[in-house]
Amino acid sequence: MEKKKIGIIGTGNYGIALGKRFLMFGFEVVYGSRRPNKEYLKESFGKLAHEQSYNVTTLNDAWSKSGDVIFLAVNAKQHIYQEIVNSIVNSIKNQGNNQNAPRSKIVVEISNRSDDEELRNVKISNAQLLDDMFASKLNEANIFDYKVHVVKGFNLIDPYSLSSFI
């Protein structure tokens, strides 16, 4: 039986903790990173690295190889969001009309605001900001048959609590 694939963009503390949790419950985890480094994750995963299936790849590969749900576990800075959205939308555009490719994804945005000056004056949530970026970029690229649905999750759980009984 094929394992359900979960995508996680981001290999920092939160992405690692979330991935460990999914691995424990039998999911296959596909990590997307701007700088893919599986050895780094092997060190963080310890014993789990040899028992479970996970992969570290580029943002675009993680997007295309994951199932219907992908978690965004990156710093909430607008330029980082923009870089990720641009990369993913370009990848979707390059897919063209591949009939086998899914035409929608659910993105679970899990970042929290920091005291960063850039974010302090923003009046909408990170999830709404990301949703607006995807909608705008897909529209700009004339991709009207692909839907990205952004939801907010895990606001009150820090990565250390998430991985505390692993």
Side-chain angles (χ1 to χ4, degrees), residues 59-100:
L59 301 173
N60 297 342
D61 279 348
W63 184 269
S64 64
K65 291 178 182 176
S66 65
D68 300 333
V69 178
I70 193 158
F71 291 81
L72 186 64
V74 298
N75 191 310
K77 294 195 183 274
Q78 193 163 351
H79 72 277
I80 294 173
Y81 277 6
Q82 198 65 56
E83 179 184 341
I84 290 168
V85 169
N86 289 341
S87 179
I88 289 169
V89 170
N90 287 336
S91 176
I92 293 167
K93 190 172 187 171
N94 291 336
Q95 275 182 343
N97 290 328
N98 180 350
Q99 298 301 328
N100 296 329

Side-chain angles (χ1 to χ4, degrees), residues 104-122:
S104 70
K105 289 266 189 192
I106 297 170
V107 175
V108 182
E109 193 280 327
I110 63 175
S111 67
N112 288 311
R113 292 265 164 89
S114 67
D115 289 334
D116 191 309
E117 185 67 37
E118 176 185 343
L119 298 174
R120 199 173 302 150
N121 298 320
V122 176

